[in-house]
Amino acid sequence: MEALVNGIHLHHVQAGNGIPLLLIHGYPLDHALWQPQVNGLADTNVARVIAPDLRGFGQSDAPEGAYTMETYADDLFALLDVLQVERAVVCGLSMGGYIALAFWQKYANRVRGLILVDTRAGADAPVVRQGRLDMVELVRQRGSKPAAEAMLPRVLAESTRQTRPDLVELARTMMLRQSPAGIIGAQLGMAERPDSAPLLPTINVPTLCIFGAEDAITPVEPEGRGMAAAIPGAKLVVIPNAGHLSNLEQPEAFNTAVREFLSTNYTNLH
Ligand code: MLT
């Protein structure tokens, strides 16, 4: 489905009935990251799953320029309006988590809960920021491939890489199909994102942090544990045999954690 929001077309899929659960993908990916959740959570009607392609990714429009985390949050706020969702549980993986925190900052009254997956609250260190600007130049010259080549070796756990060639292929295909404008917009936006750590103690909705035990990009120590400790009442679930894409690598364990979180915190699931 497509919605016209904030001046662009946002592609999104919806499935199931239950508490609205907004799934925000990471970089350089699209809504297909969440296929195991669209299938596994919506099938049992635990949640009304809403999985958009962020601006610049998948089948959504890809305008030129930097996409700040606030811009993405504005898009998603407008999408919830179009879908007539008053308040959602907002779940974001990696860059999706940066966006979930930006969404919390600006639209806390639309957030019923947070699920922060393989992500971090801090801004970029200078060397990381410079790496993003270098990647932007590379993508301008050579297209999307260098971005996929840089990410692919780092996103999956060693065990996943050894035993799940299908998932390696899925991740590779998803990364390679993203447009240069989308990759550039995201990298520029992430490079200028602010430190969200001061927001963490202000979070007063149920929060679940989920991290792959072998996440090499946003490791459990210190990111996952630190994030969960800084958010009042937050719970941390560490998923064994999973890297940065924990929801894709271990969907059963991931979906069980989400289902438990939803049923514990929301007695009236609709
Ligand atoms: C992601 O998975 O979204 C990226 O690792 C985020 C980042 O580059 O910081």
Side-chain angles (χ1 to χ4, degrees):
M1 279 189 289
E2 292 225 336
L4 182 60
V5 299
N6 223 4
I8 59 160
H9 289 97
L10 268 201
H11 177 78
H12 58 282
V13 301
Q14 278 198 88
N17 292 299
I19 187 162
L21 176 64
L22 178 65
L23 298 175
I24 314 174
H25 64 77
Y27 159 95
L29 303 167
D30 60 36
H31 82 274
L33 171 71
W34 298 113
Q35 200 58 50
Q37 284 64 52
V38 171
N39 295 338
L41 296 173
D43 266 14
T44 49
N45 281 337
V46 170
R48 172 183 173 190
V49 175
I50 303 162
D53 286 337
L54 294 168
R55 67 166 56 212
F57 293 96
Q59 296 166 58
S60 290
D61 287 348
E64 300 287 328
Y67 308 158
T68 63
M69 301 306 106
E70 186 180 355
T71 303
Y72 287 125
D74 291 344
D75 292 347
L76 297 175
F77 167 78
L79 179 65
L80 291 188
D81 272 354
V82 169
L83 300 179
Q84 298 185 325
V85 173
E86 183 59 34
R87 292 174 80 213
V89 173
V90 177
C91 169
L93 182 144
S94 199
M95 182 178 80
Y98 311 161
I99 298 166
L101 291 174
F103 193 95
W104 170 258
Q105 177 160 37
K106 201 162 173 187
Y107 303 114
N109 62 343
R110 304 295 290 266
V111 181
R112 215 160 154 182
L114 283 169
I115 305 178
L116 300 166
V117 186
D118 296 295
T119 189
R120 59 162 53 85
D124 284 346
V127 62
V128 176
R129 190 173 300 135
Q130 188 54 50
R132 294 193 194 281
L133 302 181
D134 294 346
M135 180 55 74
V136 165
E137 276 320 303
L138 218 50
V139 171
R140 281 204 174 110
Q141 290 161 21
R142 292 176 41 205
S144 307
K145 205 165 168 208
E149 282 168 350
M151 284 301 283
L152 193 60
R154 303 168 64 218
V155 287
L156 300 172
E158 178 63 26
S159 51
T160 307
R161 284 204 299 273
Q162 299 296 336
T163 60
R164 297 293 307 272
D166 56 322
L167 287 188
V168 177
E169 200 42 44
L170 185 78
R172 184 201 316 280
T173 310
M174 213 187 310
M175 290 178 184
L176 284 173
R177 72 175 171 236
Q178 307 311 329
S179 70
I183 288 170
I184 290 168
Q187 284 289 18
L188 292 174
M190 286 193 280
E192 66 179 68
R193 76 186 194 284
D195 179 10
S196 294
L199 287 180
L200 300 181
T202 74
I203 295 174
N204 59 2
V205 291
T207 299
L208 173 65
C209 302
I210 307 180
F211 279 69
E214 297 173 46
D215 185 343
I217 296 178
T218 47
V220 182
E221 306 285 356
E223 301 297 350
R225 210 162 296 282
M227 183 176 263
I231 301 173
K235 183 178 170 199
L236 173 66
V237 170
V238 178
I239 308 233
N241 300 315
H244 192 55
L245 305 185
S246 55
N247 71 303
L248 195 61
E249 297 178 68
Q250 297 297 338
E252 293 289 321
F254 187 95
N255 289 353
T256 298
V258 171
R259 240 183 254 117
E260 272 176 23
F261 173 74
L262 295 179
S263 60
T264 306
N265 289 290
Y266 309 98
T267 42
N268 174 9
L269 283 178
H270 292 268

